[in-house]
Amino acid sequence: MPADNMEKIVALAKRRGFLFPGSDIYGGIGSTYDYGPLGVLLKNNVRQAWWRAMVQSREDVVGLDAAIIMHPKTWEASGHLAGFTDPLVDCKKCKKRFRADHLLESKGLSMKGLKEKPTLMSEVKCPECGGELTDIRMFNLMFKTFMGPLEDAANTVYLRPETAQGIFVNFANVRDTARKRLPFGIAQCGKSFRNEITPGNFIFRTREFEQMEMEYFCKPGTDEETFEYWKGFMMDWFAGLGVRRDSLRYYEHPKEDLSHYSKRTVDLEYKFPWGWAELWGCANRTDFDLKQHAKFSGQDLSYRDDLTNERYVPYVVEPALGLDRAVLTFLIDAYEEIDGGRSTTTESNKEVETVLRLHPAIAPIKAAVLPLSKKEPLTGIAKEIRAKLAERWMVQYDEVASVGRRYRRQDEIGTPFCITVDFDTPNDKKVTVRDRDTMSQERVAIDELVGYLALKLGV
Ligand SMILES: [Zn+2]
């Protein structure tokens, strides 16, 4: 069973150093979170797994790392300056702030209905105190700052609200340098910023977050088939990293709810403890973005097929995933509590044991080296093994507490293998390797350990 409530995940994340509230000693700030020693490893591994699947293993996708601050014209062309807004209302009594569309949805109403029937909003009261709400104000979600010393309109710039635009403005650069024929994709990971009115659910929705986006450029007319491919890719990627398929489903956005640029959008959703929610969105953005940037920049962003001499503006299919959201999904899905424990050691009997069944490719620590005594020669051998394995993987050395306790510590942070150096090791040059999930133990020669783990870990 995956975690059934967020408190358990938040508690584990803090207790074991995956995630801390941002600026913790000052009481935190606006739902930001800092990745701790284990969290940064998990996050890096998820990013690398995505990169391997999306870029490294493919011939048709290249990578990019564009600047966060872009020319302000970018956001004019993309429509973000005018249209990237949320409808905001305040409670006149308790002063709490809400998104009008969310309040309407909870009543089975929609913002679209609001335009036809402006009185609708008056039917909605503050969900906290029942107070009267203010009129709706449209609020732009882009963070604004200034470039250079003058704080005026001419120097206003924005922190990017999506990484996609960095890809679109580089389409011509990549087209002219990467020696790729269409269809090809450009992938990018990086921070994006949205001044959300109501962030929440831990790292599910934060104002600063990391995206992993890929824009796949294709010939118009092949876009629908391309879309189907990437839709399938999304679910296969999560399932391939151990997420249960019955916790994943697709949500097709109704035509009338599509963004201005989208011909079709399908979300891969995950069954979070609070309900189904978007994990990975796949959008058919058509030629909207390239045409807009061509218009605003005056540059030619078309593509010429050198075999047929056809020239056209490519269509774009975009699978866009939030890295933080992916990390949260893996934590929730891997989490398991075992009542009464599964260890046979007496001191850990009858307690609740937590096992994080993370896929080996994303587990923060791949192996722990545990000497059975705190004395030589076991500690010396164990430290040598740690150093050898650390050339390839993140590993931990731990000699504190009973071996049962140490196993449980590693189980709780998702370490796939524990390597025990025991009193036979100095003589037979072998160690015992324990599997986190099956708890089976195998005797492995120290000389063969690297090859053994490489095979088991797959990384
Ligand atoms: Zn109120």
Side-chain angles (χ1 to χ4, degrees):
M1 281 292 289
D4 53 3
N5 72 64
M6 284 301 290
E7 287 71 33
K8 287 175 182 170
I9 296 295
V10 175
L12 172 74
K14 173 130 198 201
R15 183 168 75 246
R16 288 306 188 193
F18 282 93
L19 284 145
F20 308 118
S23 314
D24 206 5
I25 61 167
Y26 291 106
I29 173 170
S31 80
T32 65
Y33 293 92
D34 297 341
Y35 285 80
L38 292 178
V40 67
L41 296 173
L42 176 59
K43 190 182 185 187
N44 285 346
N45 291 343
V46 173
R47 191 195 294 107
Q48 273 165 23
W50 179 88
W51 188 268
R52 264 199 308 276
M54 200 55 106
V55 183
Q56 187 181 317
S57 67
R58 305 185 64 95
E59 287 189 282
D60 58 347
V61 179
V62 294
L64 182 79
D65 185 12
I68 286 174
I69 295 176
M70 300 179 66
H71 195 290
K73 272 224 157 115
T74 309
W75 310 114
E76 252 182 85
S78 69
H80 282 84
L81 212 48
F84 194 54
T85 53
D86 274 344
L88 175 70
V89 287
D90 293 299
C91 173
K92 289 180 184 169
K93 204 161 134 203
C94 74
K95 308 292 173 201
K96 287 232 168 68
R97 190 154 281 176
F98 305 97
R99 272 179 61 174
D101 52 337
H102 288 172
L103 296 185
L104 285 167
E105 271 163 31
S106 67
K107 301 259 175 223
L109 306 167
S110 78
M111 287 294 288
K112 288 233 158 61
L114 200 62
K115 274 177 201 151
E116 294 146 24
K117 199 174 163 224
T119 52
L120 226 54
M121 203 61 213
S122 62
E123 295 170 17
V124 182
K125 298 281 182 257
C126 171
E128 298 279 329
C129 75
E132 203 179 315
L133 300 169
T134 60
D135 286 339
I136 294 174
R137 284 170 290 143
M138 294 313 280
F139 169 75
N140 195 294
L141 297 184
M142 284 198 292
F143 277 93
K144 217 186 266 189
T145 186
F146 303 97
M147 191 166 253
L150 283 180
E151 297 193 2
D152 59 18
N155 295 302
T156 301
V157 290
Y158 303 89
L159 304 187
R160 67 181 176 201
E162 61 176 27
T163 58
Q165 299 303 325
I167 295 175
F168 296 130
V169 303
N170 276 291
F171 172 74
N173 286 335
V174 175
R175 175 196 64 193
D176 299 342
T177 57
R179 303 178 58 246
K180 294 286 175 199
R181 302 191 68 245
L182 233 60
F184 69 80
I186 305 175
Q188 162 163 250
C189 308
K191 286 280 175 92
S192 289
F193 303 82
R194 294 179 187 177
N195 202 358
E196 299 278 358
I197 298 165
T198 49
N201 285 328
F202 199 31
I203 53 170
F204 179 80
R205 182 175 283 108
T206 50
R207 296 186 173 105
E208 174 181 343
F209 58 104
E210 192 163 337
Q211 287 187 300
M212 305 193 289
E213 294 193 298
M214 197 277 290
E215 308 299 326
Y216 199 78
F217 300 93
C218 63
K219 188 177 177 184
T222 65
D223 53 306
E224 288 178 19
E225 184 187 328
T226 302
F227 187 96
E228 285 301 326
Y229 171 81
W230 288 107
K231 182 188 153 192
F233 180 96
M234 302 193 299
M235 189 176 293
D236 291 345
W237 187 78
F238 270 101
L241 288 170
V243 174
R244 298 161 175 81
R245 276 186 196 265
D246 58 9
S247 296
L248 297 165
R249 73 173 188 193
Y250 292 115
Y251 169 73
E252 176 97 35
H253 287 237
K255 283 261 180 291
E256 60 272 20
D257 292 351
L258 292 176
S259 311
H260 59 281
Y261 54 74
S262 180
K263 179 175 162 187
R264 186 184 175 198
T265 300
V266 171
D267 292 341
L268 179 68
E269 294 189 328
Y270 179 73
K271 198 176 185 179
F272 288 97
W274 65 89
W276 291 95
E278 178 190 348
L279 184 52
W280 200 338
C282 191
N284 183 343
R285 298 180 73 129
T286 70
D287 53 7
F288 174 83
D289 299 274
L290 287 181
K291 278 191 169 160
Q292 283 293 102
H293 287 301
K295 189 169 126 195
F296 277 75
S297 67
Q299 305 289 313
D300 176 16
L301 300 183
S302 65
Y303 174 83
R304 191 180 64 84
D305 187 323
D306 53 11
L307 295 181
T308 63
N309 250 332
E310 271 180 288
R311 183 177 282 283
Y312 52 86
V313 177
Y315 264 39
V316 175
V317 172
E318 172 197 80
L321 173 63
L323 174 53
D324 311 84
R325 210 169 266 200
V327 167
L328 180 61
T329 300
F330 286 121
L331 280 175
I332 291 169
D333 207 72
Y335 186 95
E336 188 174 339
E337 278 181 3
I338 297 153
D339 268 337
R342 52 177 197 161
S343 308
T344 48
T345 48
T346 42
E347 72 266 40
S348 47
N349 250 343
K350 296 192 173 64
E351 292 174 26
V352 176
E353 275 188 36
T354 305
V355 184
L356 212 49
R357 298 188 189 273
L358 291 169
H359 189 281
I362 58 170
I365 305 295
K366 306 301 186 201
V369 186
L370 318 172
L372 269 193
S373 103
K374 285 187 195 178
K375 296 194 189 109
E376 290 288 1
L378 302 198
T379 51
I381 297 170
K383 282 176 180 169
E384 261 177 51
I385 292 172
R386 189 216 67 86
K388 182 77 192 153
L389 300 182
E391 290 170 13
R392 282 190 67 161
W393 302 290
M394 285 302 302
V395 287
Q396 276 187 355
Y397 171 88
D398 188 2
E399 58 172 41
V400 181
S402 73
V403 76
R405 285 265 166 226
R406 283 181 276 168
Y407 281 157
R408 295 189 52 200
R409 256 200 305 260
Q410 296 299 331
D411 287 347
E412 204 179 31
I413 64 171
T415 306
F417 298 102
C418 284
I419 297 156
T420 311
V421 176
D422 58 32
F423 297 100
D424 292 331
T425 304
N427 304 318
D428 68 2
K429 312 287 180 217
K430 287 181 177 174
V431 290
T432 301
V433 181
R434 171 193 180 264
D435 182 297
R436 175 198 67 202
D437 295 333
T438 63
M439 296 203 300
S440 68
Q441 307 207 353
E442 215 174 325
R443 202 77 183 150
V444 178
I446 293 172
D447 285 348
E448 290 163 12
L449 203 48
V450 169
Y452 176 89
L453 287 176
L455 204 65
K456 293 264 183 183
L457 291 167
V459 284

